[in-house]
Amino acid sequence: MKITLKMLLGATAAILASALTAQAETALKWAHVYETSEPFHTDSVWAAEEIGKRTEGRYKIDVFPASQLGKEADLNQGLKLGTVDIIISGSSFAAREHKPIGVTYFPYIFRDPSHLIAYTKSDIFKKLAVGYEEASGNHITAVSYYGTRHTTSNKPILKCADMQGLKIRVPDVPAYLAMPRACGANTTPIAFAEVYLALQNGTVEAQENPLTTIEAKKFYEVQKHIILTGHIVDHLNTLISKTLWSNLSDADKAVFTEVMQQAAERTTKTIEDREKALVASFKEKGLTVTEIDKADFEKNVVEKVTFEEFGYDKQDWEAIRAIK
């Protein structure tokens, strides 16, 4: 077979084009601790694919769910070390870098999910996000609704005083402890994986989590009452590492931000819809679901818990509370 100059040049061009394409494609890692069935994962996968499409394949993002790249603390550390590029994580971890942003976990700061989302579009959010970015180097692109935390118990609770002496499992996060302690409960920081057994054998009498978690972890099987305390409207941040964010062009930053915010909106709607359906579902399972006077719980928190002990700014709390 006679190899012509034209054929040689064509083959060389193809090799060069292939090399340039490979060089142009940037591989990124997106990690979180949630299961593959959860919207935090499915919407991350959607966002990863969408970013690839909108940047004409210049970014290939692989999503690693269910703590495959480590626990939440590991993932936050990974952003610093460059072992991961994008993560989904709670503000309690962001507060380790910049304490003031943790004010969003203070009980009864948000009225409902729509108030939380309004906060993410406010000047106070921009201030706290900038403070976090200056402290950590990481950039918050989006905030998604995680769920409103409620209380489950084996005894009826109608008012704050009914929690006096109650043995309740609460995550070992300062702001999560505020409401139960203000109501006189005895808080116990049991590992999440051990909560079901602790409720079953009576090590604790109660716990608190969003309705979606109460369903997923089957806490309803070992609890008689769900009390809609709604004490924390919980949320997750989508974070980009300092290294990645600083290397993105302005146009790519806009694409990443727009897509990640759309993904967060999808997640928020899914969680809201699930929660609405779960109240009826729990009642059908024979649980007592109780609406309470949140004002009674809120009053005790405000009177008995100080912002200073958490490193929060009361003015930030007031500014967020005032958002319409």
Side-chain angles (χ1 to χ4, degrees):
M1 177 181 176
K2 185 177 179 181
I3 299 175
T4 65
L5 180 61
K6 185 176 181 181
M7 290 169 65
L8 200 59
L9 289 172
T12 303
I15 292 169
L16 286 171
S18 177
L20 287 170
T21 301
Q23 186 179 15
E25 184 183 83
T26 301
L28 301 174
K29 293 180 180 178
W30 181 332
H32 61 79
V33 300
Y34 301 97
E35 299 301 321
T36 54
S37 60
E38 291 299 295
F40 313 110
H41 176 67
T42 55
D43 290 330
S44 293
V45 171
W46 173 84
E49 293 172 349
E50 196 66 18
I51 288 170
K53 291 177 188 174
R54 297 191 197 183
T55 59
E56 299 178 333
R58 285 184 289 106
Y59 296 96
K60 182 181 184 302
I61 305 175
D62 291 315
V63 182
F64 297 85
S67 303
Q68 287 180 8
L69 298 187
K71 297 176 182 177
E72 200 163 354
D74 302 323
L75 299 183
N76 279 271
Q77 184 67 12
L79 281 186
K80 287 185 178 181
L81 299 176
T83 56
V84 65
D85 305 288
I86 304 161
I87 69 170
I88 296 176
S89 179
S91 284
S92 60
F93 286 89
R96 295 180 182 182
E97 302 283 352
H98 183 58
K99 274 191 176 181
I101 202 169
V103 73
T104 52
Y105 278 149
F106 203 83
Y108 300 109
I109 189 169
F110 294 117
R111 295 181 296 276
D112 50 38
S114 62
H115 183 194
L116 165 67
I117 299 306
Y119 152 74
T120 66
K121 305 177 192 304
S122 70
D123 289 339
I124 183 65
F125 169 75
K126 291 173 187 172
K127 184 193 88 166
L128 292 170
V130 166
Y132 167 73
E133 185 163 357
E134 288 174 348
S136 68
N138 306 324
H139 181 76
I140 301 174
T141 57
V143 178
S144 55
Y145 175 53
Y146 177 70
T148 298
R149 300 182 81 90
H150 299 290
T151 305
T152 68
S153 172
N154 279 329
K155 67 174 236 179
I157 296 171
L158 298 175
K159 56 187 183 298
C160 183
D162 292 339
M163 294 183 74
Q164 184 70 38
L166 183 74
K167 293 185 294 183
I168 182 171
R169 181 269 175 181
V170 181
D172 194 16
V173 176
Y176 284 2
L177 303 172
M179 185 278 283
R181 287 186 177 174
C183 294
N186 294 326
T187 55
T188 305
I190 293 168
F192 188 49
E194 300 168 12
V195 175
Y196 183 98
L197 184 59
L199 292 169
Q200 189 177 45
N201 63 26
T203 302
V204 290
E205 306 165 90
Q207 67 85 46
E208 56 80 57
N209 260 299
L211 296 178
T212 48
T213 304
I214 294 167
E215 179 199 36
K217 297 300 180 182
K218 301 187 184 298
F219 295 151
Y220 60 84
E221 293 181 347
V222 287
Q223 297 276 263
K224 297 176 182 176
H225 300 270
I226 295 178
I227 303 94
L228 301 178
T229 46
H231 48 286
I232 295 176
V233 177
D234 217 339
H235 59 284
L236 298 172
N237 302 312
T238 305
L239 305 167
I240 293 181
S241 72
K242 177 182 180 179
T243 303
L244 173 57
W245 188 248
S246 62
N247 286 332
L248 292 177
S249 67
D250 287 345
D252 286 347
K253 284 179 179 176
V255 170
F256 274 65
T257 301
E258 181 179 38
V259 171
M260 288 173 173
Q261 289 183 354
Q262 288 174 350
E265 288 170 4
R266 290 161 60 108
T267 295
T268 296
K269 185 178 187 308
T270 299
I271 297 297
E272 281 193 274
D273 290 346
R274 283 187 184 180
E275 286 184 322
K276 288 173 185 173
L278 279 173
V279 170
S281 174
F282 286 133
K283 287 180 179 178
E284 288 172 6
K285 285 180 169 64
L287 279 83
T288 301
V289 180
T290 306
E291 293 270 2
I292 50 88
D293 179 10
K294 291 181 185 177
D296 171 51
F297 288 78
E298 182 183 336
K299 178 174 178 289
N300 277 274
V301 169
V302 174
E303 287 179 354
K304 297 175 183 177
V305 181
T306 64
F307 293 87
E308 290 74 22
E309 63 186 282
F310 298 117
Y312 303 155
D313 187 331
K314 190 173 182 180
Q315 289 184 331
D316 289 344
W317 179 77
E318 290 172 342
I320 295 171
R321 295 259 295 178
I323 294 170
K324 302 300 184 186

